[in-house]
Amino acid sequence: MSNLIATKNGTERNSRLGFSALPSISSWMDDIINTNFGNEFVSNFNTGITLPAVNVLDNDEEYKVEMAVPGLKKSDFDISLDNQLLSISAETKIEDSEENNNFTRREFGYSSFKRTFSLPETVETDKINAKYEDGILKVTLPKREEAKKKPLRQIEVS
């Protein structure tokens, strides 16, 4: 689970948004498979979708979560909010079969992922929206009015 807000639990963090400094186990496994077996093995092995890379952007008005997940349809995604926990998941099933006089070939695949994020209280949860375009899922998390950065104001001394 990733945090959009910093958490204090004794582990070192590499950003003010609270993402863990260590790579995920699935990325270590991908590195091991790609290094030790080469691309020939990976291209013939249905590994499904590993956890997609995520960018979290923080500006004055909103947070934006961008996730690279090419090859999916909008209907493949399930995005839900339970209290302050945002879950993004996708699931796809692929079946392919070919029949010839001498053989029958049938291949199928299943892939899925789920990413969860702890949202800060400053997110306007009723106004969260998502858009999927060109293989990129973008989830916009608007900030509450009181959390938005206010412009610099000069105060006169009387």
Side-chain angles (χ1 to χ4, degrees), residues 22-78:
L22 296 175
S24 68
I25 291 174
S26 65
S27 69
W28 280 350
M29 292 304 294
D30 288 345
D31 290 345
I32 290 169
I33 289 172
N34 290 334
T35 303
N36 293 338
F37 297 110
N39 288 335
E40 305 82 35
F41 179 75
V42 174
S43 65
N44 293 323
F45 185 72
N46 183 6
T47 58
I49 301 174
T50 58
L51 286 179
V54 174
N55 294 331
V56 178
L57 309 165
D58 179 6
N59 63 38
D60 294 343
E61 301 291 317
E62 63 202 5
Y63 296 103
K64 283 193 178 194
V65 176
E66 298 177 337
M67 189 177 295
V69 282
L72 298 178
K73 300 178 295 225
K74 293 176 186 179
S75 60
D76 293 333
F77 293 101
D78 180 33

Side-chain angles (χ1 to χ4, degrees), residues 8-25:
K8 295 178 181 167
N9 61 359
T11 59
E12 185 176 331
R13 301 291 182 165
N14 68 351
S15 81
R16 65 185 180 92
L17 295 177
F19 291 102
S20 176
L22 296 175
S24 68
I25 291 174

Side-chain angles (χ1 to χ4, degrees), residues 53-127:
V54 174
N55 294 331
V56 178
L57 309 165
D58 179 6
N59 63 38
D60 294 343
E61 301 291 317
E62 63 202 5
Y63 296 103
K64 283 193 178 194
V65 176
E66 298 177 337
M67 189 177 295
V69 282
L72 298 178
K73 300 178 295 225
K74 293 176 186 179
S75 60
D76 293 333
F77 293 101
D78 180 33
I79 303 173
S80 61
L81 183 66
D82 183 14
N83 291 319
Q84 293 301 108
L85 190 64
L86 177 72
S87 296
I88 302 171
S89 61
E91 181 178 318
T92 61
K93 296 176 185 174
I94 301 168
E95 288 193 34
D96 183 28
S97 69
E98 180 179 327
E99 292 188 26
N100 195 328
N101 292 338
N102 298 329
F103 68 91
T104 299
R105 177 184 64 86
R106 182 170 184 225
E107 295 183 13
F108 61 94
Y110 173 85
S111 54
S112 67
F113 73 87
K114 183 172 185 177
R115 299 286 308 254
T116 56
F117 303 90
S118 293
L119 300 182
E121 294 290 330
T122 57
V123 171
E124 188 75 52
T125 56
D126 294 339
K127 296 182 181 177

